[in-house]
Each structure stands twice: as structure tokens, then as C-alpha cells.
Amino acid sequence: MSNLEEHIRIAKQKFHQALQDTAPEAWETLKNTFLARKGIIAELFAMLAECTPEEKRHYGKTLNELKNEITEQIERLKSKVEFQLRPKRLDPTLPGKPYPYPRVHPLTQTLNRIVDTFARMGFVVEEGPELETAYYNFDALNTPIWHPAREKSDTLYILNSTSEYELLRTETSPVQIHALEKRGVPIRIISPGRVYRNDKPDATHSPVFHQVEGLCVDEKISMADLKGTLLGFYRAMLGSRIEIRFRPHFFPFTEPSAEVDVTCPFCYGNGCRICKQSGYIEMGGSGMVHPNVLKGVGVDMEKYSGFAFGLGVERLAMLLHGVDDIRLFYENDLRFLEQFA
Ligand SMILES: [Zn+2]
């Protein structure tokens, strides 16, 4: 019965192939195929009946060894599966899962620093509506009727329920008029908030962005007070080596008016890629409040004078953090936002 040897060899091969092809979870299929009462191993044992006593001893031993091997392998699979499926016990001594700690948005961080810095100089925060009338956004700020800022190509107008045009404020300056009407003078406020322009988004423009405007009206306020205030502010934000420079400019609501540049905080005036080799970075507008603005809200101009300034929160945040595309602030990409701890 020498072909029994061949049958055993084939059975062994079959098992090892099946062991490779079967998922551990299906261990019972293997057991049924090989070890069941009518399984492959049982069939081989049945064949022993036709063997000589000597053959029985020899093949009986080989068959038993194969059966043991198969049993052992299937047991191993079974305990592996049972280990994976075991009920997980709660271990109260294990440390908890880390909870993602909320972070403040980089624009809010910058705005908070701006507000804190001006607060130390005695400025209080004043807020106002984002939907404005042309009176507060333009007329009261001495913006002539022909001024291009009033065009629909620059400003976003909205037809309200009573068929009148309102607009999304183009700066936070109208808050100054509300505050002057409400609280009178002397006054020292900053008005942070969202402003809107009819701009296409690109690396440096966004139709919505954030501004902070400042207003100070008191007795004997001069251009020197304006310059001192802004110098103190920019040094607190960008470092004590910062200088500022005024360039004559025109704004309807201030006279005289000046654009404010600060020393480039990356090269301190030597010229670099960020400041386009000029050594300075343009930060915003400023000036002495125009007499027409003060007259409009009934301020006694014999006694009072004031200054005003504006600056962009995004521009300052970009400078502080070396960000070169304004759109990154609005895309809510956590990979970007998580860098601002
Ligand atoms: Zn530079």
C-alpha cells in the first residue's frame, strides 16, 4: 500500500496551502476539511485497514504526526482570533486620549495684540454696524460726491427692504462718527472690524478684510501726538528698532493727511525682498481730522482738534508671521492654522 505514503504527502501539502489561503477567522473551515469525522485525515486512517501490520505501524505513526501538526496549527489560529476578539477591559490607570487644544485664529491673535497695545495708551474699543448708509460711510467723512470710492466698482451696495441703497462699510471710520454723535469729545477710541470692498481675491486682496481705525479728539492735539502714538504702537508690535515715516497723501476725512511707513522688520531699512529693497513697508493712512468732519458732529473747533489713523489687520499679521498670501487666513486649512500656537 505504498500509495498511502503519496496520499499522506499530498494531504500535508494541501493543508499547508490551505493554511496560507485561509483567513484566521475561518479556522473552523480548516478544521472541518481536515479533522472532521469524514475529513481528509479520517479517510487516510480508514485506508490503514487494508495495510499489512508492518505498514500499519509505519503509516499509523506518520499519520498521527500529521494529525497532531494540523491540530496544533488550527488551535494556534483559533487562539489568535479569540485574542483579537477578546472584550477590551477598561484600564482606568491609562492616560486619556489627548484632546485637541483649541487655538486662537492668527487674525484674532493679531487683533488682540493691537487692541491690548492701544488700550495701554488709553484707547477704548468702539464697534459699529457693518451695514451702513452712504451718510456715515462717505458724507459725514467729508468724501465728495464724485469720489471714486463711492463707485459700484469699489463699494458693495445693498438694496434694503424700503428700496433704499445701503452699503457694506468700506472702512471702520463710520464708527468714529457714531461714537462722536453718541459720546462727544474728548474721545480716544479704536474701532476694529470687518470691512468690504468690491475686489477680486488674490495674494494681497480680499473682498472682506479687517481694519482698525483710531480716533483721538481732545484739546491741543497735534500731528506730533499722532506720530508719537503710531511710533509707540508699531514699536510695541514689531520691535524697538522700528522707525516710522510720514509721506504726504490725500484722504477726504483728514487734513493734512499722511501715509504711514514703518522700517522693514526683516532688514531694518537695508532693503530686502519683503520690502522690495525700499527698507520701508506701507502700513496705512493717517492725518489730522478734517474740520468738516468735526463741524458735522458739532465739535467746538476753537477748543478741540484730533487725529485719526487706520491700519489693516491682515497686513500686520502677514508681516508678523511671514505669511505671503492673504487667502491663507480664510481657507480654514488646519495645517496652516495649527502653526499659530
Ligand atoms: Zn526689508
Side-chain angles (χ1 to χ4, degrees):
M1 194 67 208
S2 65
N3 71 337
L4 184 53
E5 184 160 8
E6 181 67 6
H7 283 299
I8 294 174
R9 197 185 58 79
I10 293 172
K12 190 172 180 164
Q13 224 173 35
K14 233 177 171 175
F15 175 71
H16 283 286
Q17 190 59 49
L19 195 62
Q20 278 186 17
D21 297 344
T22 311
E25 295 77 19
W27 61 269
E28 271 189 299
T29 318
L30 276 183
K31 195 178 175 183
N32 286 336
T33 313
F34 288 90
L35 301 176
R37 203 130 48 102
K38 287 185 176 171
I40 290 172
I41 295 297
E43 268 173 26
L44 293 172
F45 271 111
M47 287 167 85
L48 280 178
E50 287 157 38
C51 293
T52 65
E54 205 182 309
E55 284 174 332
K56 273 184 190 166
R57 259 199 313 277
H58 174 67
Y59 292 125
K61 190 170 170 258
T62 322
L63 261 177
N64 268 322
E65 280 170 3
L66 179 61
K67 189 184 172 185
N68 288 343
E69 191 198 332
I70 292 176
T71 311
E72 203 179 294
Q73 296 275 19
I74 291 177
E75 280 302 314
R76 198 177 290 172
L77 274 191
K78 187 184 161 191
S79 51
K80 191 174 166 187
V81 171
E82 282 173 352
F83 179 77
Q84 282 166 351
L85 296 177
R86 77 195 185 287
K88 305 268 191 297
R89 270 194 310 139
L90 175 71
D91 182 352
T93 64
L94 286 175
K97 278 185 188 165
Y99 189 78
Y101 194 72
R103 292 156 208 258
V104 178
H105 192 282
L107 286 181
T108 310
Q109 285 182 29
T110 307
L111 188 56
N112 289 346
R113 271 190 68 191
I114 295 172
V115 170
D116 285 349
T117 307
F118 279 119
R120 287 202 294 275
M121 293 190 265
F123 286 81
V124 295
V125 170
E126 187 80 32
E127 287 179 321
E130 289 174 27
L131 192 60
E132 271 294 3
T133 59
Y135 173 76
Y136 282 103
N137 199 84
F138 293 124
D139 303 342
L141 290 161
N142 196 40
T143 310
I145 205 79
W146 47 262
H147 199 279
R150 291 179 182 251
E151 297 288 328
K152 281 182 181 161
S153 56
D154 283 32
T155 298
L156 296 159
Y157 286 89
I158 286 176
L159 200 57
N160 71 12
S161 53
T162 53
S163 297
E164 282 164 343
Y165 275 109
E166 289 182 298
L167 54 86
L168 290 168
R169 66 182 181 191
T170 58
E171 34 209 342
T172 50
S173 314
V175 179
Q176 300 175 2
I177 306 299
H178 290 292
L180 283 167
E181 285 179 348
K182 205 164 59 187
R183 312 217 312 228
V185 287
I187 194 169
R188 201 183 297 186
I189 57 163
I190 50 167
S191 48
R194 275 190 210 100
V195 298
Y196 301 81
R197 305 273 171 92
N198 194 3
D199 276 338
K200 276 217 168 61
D202 63 23
T204 54
H205 293 85
S206 166
V208 189
F209 57 101
H210 299 77
Q211 270 194 345
V212 173
E213 249 130 54
L215 171 73
C216 171
V217 182
D218 208 333
E219 290 176 43
K220 300 194 180 79
I221 292 290
S222 75
M223 199 92 177
D225 297 307
L226 169 64
K227 198 163 184 179
T229 301
L230 290 179
L231 182 63
F233 168 73
Y234 283 115
R235 282 187 174 171
M237 293 296 287
L238 299 170
S240 55
R241 291 170 66 187
I242 294 297
E243 297 291 343
I244 64 170
R245 108 184 147 179
F246 278 2
R247 274 180 296 110
H249 201 76
F250 170 79
F251 301 111
F253 29 85
T254 44
E255 180 59 40
S257 303
E259 289 258 49
V260 183
D261 297 341
V262 301
T263 325
C264 171
F266 297 98
C267 64
Y268 292 106
N270 294 323
C272 70
R273 189 181 59 84
I274 309 276
C275 58
K276 298 190 183 88
Q277 308 306 326
S278 70
Y280 282 91
I281 290 179
E282 196 182 309
M283 294 308 297
S286 70
M288 299 305 290
V289 183
H290 197 286
N292 289 351
V293 175
L294 293 178
K295 216 187 303 170
V297 287
V299 171
D300 176 0
M301 298 196 11
E302 295 295 303
K303 202 171 163 198
Y304 292 102
S305 55
F307 64 73
F309 57 84
L311 59 102
V313 179
E314 279 82 349
R315 166 154 274 236
L316 203 48
M318 288 166 87
L319 208 55
L320 283 169
H321 300 294
V323 175
D324 59 6
D325 193 324
I326 195 171
R327 291 167 293 193
L328 287 167
F329 289 124
Y330 314 117
E331 284 168 353
N332 290 331
D333 185 336
L334 287 177
R335 291 167 303 181
F336 171 75
L337 297 176
E338 279 174 351
Q339 295 173 47
F340 303 88

